[in-house]
Amino acid sequence: MKLENMRRQHPPYGYRSNKQTSTLNPVEYLNQFTEKSDLIKEGMRGSEVKTLQLNLIKLGYSLSKYGADGGVFGAETERAVRNFQSDQKITVDGIVGPVTKNRINQALKAWSKYPGTLIRLGSKGDNVKKIQQKVGTKVDGIFGKKTEQAVKNFQKKNGLAVDGIVGPKTWNKLF
C-alpha cells in the first residue's frame, strides 16, 4: 500500500490549518474536568442541599425557619449539621463531608426502622419490647412507669431531651 493511501485511511493528527476545527479554547477544555466536591457546606445551593435538609428534618433536627427549601445552605442548616455532628460525637465543623454523610446514612437506616409514631407511656407491642430489652426493664411489651423511667435514664445518660418518650432521636441512640 502506498504511503499516500495510508494517510487517507487514518485521521490526521497534529497541526491543521483550519483553526475552527483544530484549535480548542483552553478555558472551555479545562472546565470540562472541574472536580465535583464531596463536601456540602455553607453557601451551597441545589438538590444536594435540599436532600440534606430533608434528611436532617427526618432525623429530628430543627429547620423551623426555612425548612427544606434547598435554596441555600445557610446558618440554620449549618446549625442542624453541627448538632447532628455533636450528637454523633464526630468533628463538629458544620460541613457535610464523607464521615458526616456516612453517619447521616447510618442514622437514616436506623430511622427507617423507626415506627413513625412516638412510643410513650401506654404504648404496647413489639417495638416496646425492643425498647425494654435495650433499656434493661422487664420485657412484656407494655410501656409502663418502669419503662418510662428507664427511657428517661437512658436519655439523660446519652445527652438527649429527658421526656421518657421514644421519638426519632432516642430511637436512633437506642438502635
Side-chain angles (χ1 to χ4, degrees):
M1 196 180 249
K2 291 183 178 180
L3 181 61
E4 194 173 304
N5 288 340
M6 285 177 62
R7 283 187 187 147
R8 282 186 229 157
Q9 293 175 353
H10 300 287
Y13 296 103
Y15 175 78
R16 295 188 193 136
S17 60
N18 183 342
K19 271 189 159 183
Q20 297 294 341
T21 60
S22 67
T23 306
L24 297 173
N25 177 333
V27 174
E28 288 176 12
Y29 177 77
L30 292 173
N31 280 342
Q32 52 184 334
F33 299 105
T34 57
E35 279 186 42
K36 185 176 182 206
S37 174
D38 285 340
L39 303 177
I40 304 173
K41 57 187 177 182
E42 190 171 12
M44 293 182 74
R45 303 172 180 272
S47 62
E48 277 189 315
V49 173
K50 185 169 186 166
T51 300
L52 169 66
Q53 291 167 334
L54 288 169
N55 288 339
L56 288 168
I57 290 168
K58 190 182 287 187
L59 294 171
Y61 294 89
S62 177
L63 295 174
S64 58
K65 188 171 182 182
Y66 298 108
D69 61 358
V72 70
F73 187 125
E76 183 177 51
T77 303
E78 183 181 6
R79 189 170 32 262
V81 169
R82 286 178 178 276
N83 289 338
F84 175 81
Q85 291 169 327
S86 176
D87 289 347
Q88 293 291 312
K89 296 179 179 31
I90 57 177
T91 301
V92 178
D93 58 9
I95 298 171
V96 181
V99 172
T100 302
K101 281 182 187 177
N102 185 40
R103 291 294 179 90
I104 288 172
N105 290 334
Q106 288 174 357
L108 287 170
K109 284 178 187 173
W111 181 88
S112 67
K113 296 173 188 167
Y114 174 69
T117 57
L118 299 176
I119 303 169
R120 62 176 80 198
L121 192 62
S123 297
K124 297 178 182 176
D126 289 335
N127 287 324
V128 174
K129 287 180 182 178
K130 290 178 191 176
I131 293 165
Q132 289 171 327
Q133 287 173 333
K134 285 287 190 172
V135 297
T137 60
K138 180 182 173 188
V139 180
D140 61 5
I142 301 167
F143 199 116
K145 288 284 187 188
K146 288 183 180 177
T147 302
E148 182 183 48
Q149 189 56 53
V151 168
K152 284 180 178 180
N153 293 341
F154 176 84
Q155 291 170 325
K156 185 176 181 179
K157 180 178 159 189
N158 287 278
L160 299 166
V162 180
D163 58 7
I165 299 170
V166 179
K169 284 185 180 180
T170 301
W171 183 272
N172 288 335
K173 282 285 186 181
L174 283 165
F175 302 103

